[in-house]
Amino acid sequence: MEQTRAILLRRHPWSETSLIVSWLTENHGTLRTSARGARRPGSPFAGKLDLFFQAEISFAVSRKGGDLHELREVSVIAPFEAARAGGAGLYMAAYFAELAGQCAPSMHPAAEIYDLLRRALNFLQSKPATEAALHHFERELARILGVHDPSGLIGAREGLTSLGGGILRSRAAALRFFS
């Protein structure tokens, strides 16, 4: 059984009663778990599996060597209150989560990326979302990943794009609030 701090990135139905939950974790990078029975009334997971929630999770590593692990326990550390973040903040949180999830390695420590996303989500709940905050997140992530150019010749967005494809559509949605 493994235990780590995690931020819920996405979730989708797996069956009538279960979910697939994707996490960014401090000790294991990106991680996919099955939450069996999570959609049942009275489930021990009830109210604990919402987007961008920060939690302490326990999971069993897949015995088959696959990338889907079994979620055993969830203890919420900090919920993400979308109402406090507002529309722009919610879109920005989605972009930050998607980008961090894409850049973090699977099943390898990603403490700096986890901490950056945690701080960004906390910021979005306490202050209005700004374009400057978006650029700061991209610069910090580029620095963590070693693709930041301090001379400024190559921007953070270009450095991140060089890692794994284009900048995500969710970036355009988040920037729409600042045009």
Side-chain angles (χ1 to χ4, degrees):
M1 181 95 69
E2 300 287 333
Q3 191 169 348
T4 187
R5 288 188 293 173
I7 298 171
L8 198 148
L9 301 178
R10 72 186 73 74
R11 66 185 206 156
H12 60 275
W14 186 31
S15 69
E16 276 188 38
T17 61
S18 300
L19 293 169
I20 300 287
V21 185
S22 298
W23 305 90
L24 174 62
T25 71
E26 186 174 43
N27 300 327
H28 302 283
T30 56
L31 177 71
R32 287 180 353 121
T33 60
S34 63
R36 296 180 188 268
R39 299 173 70 191
R40 282 192 192 121
S43 163
F45 297 123
K48 298 178 180 180
L49 298 177
D50 281 337
L51 286 178
F52 317 130
F53 271 25
Q54 298 170 40
E56 183 79 29
I57 66 170
S58 297
F59 65 96
V61 175
S62 172
R63 288 186 219 143
K64 299 177 183 177
D67 72 339
L68 185 61
H69 311 285
E70 185 179 343
L71 186 63
R72 296 284 176 88
E73 292 179 23
V74 176
S75 177
V76 176
I77 297 169
F80 182 80
E81 298 177 27
R84 285 178 48 199
L90 191 55
Y91 275 94
M92 198 172 289
Y95 171 60
F96 291 168
E98 190 175 356
L99 187 58
Q102 181 181 358
C103 292
S106 180
M107 291 303 288
H108 291 283
E112 281 189 283
I113 298 172
Y114 169 85
D115 188 56
L116 176 64
L117 181 59
R118 181 192 58 76
R119 288 184 291 120
L121 293 173
N122 291 342
F123 173 85
L124 292 172
Q125 294 178 93
S126 64
K127 296 195 174 44
T130 63
E131 190 172 350
L134 183 140
H135 294 298
H136 175 77
F137 184 87
E138 290 176 339
R139 272 192 312 276
E140 284 299 299
L141 185 58
R143 181 192 58 75
I144 290 167
L145 297 171
V147 294
H148 174 65
D149 178 14
S151 72
L153 295 175
I154 299 172
R157 184 177 58 190
E158 290 78 15
L160 293 171
T161 302
S162 72
L163 284 178
I167 288 293
L168 310 164
R169 274 185 268 145
S170 56
R171 183 181 198 271
L175 283 173
R176 180 181 75 214
F177 285 90
F178 309 110
S179 342

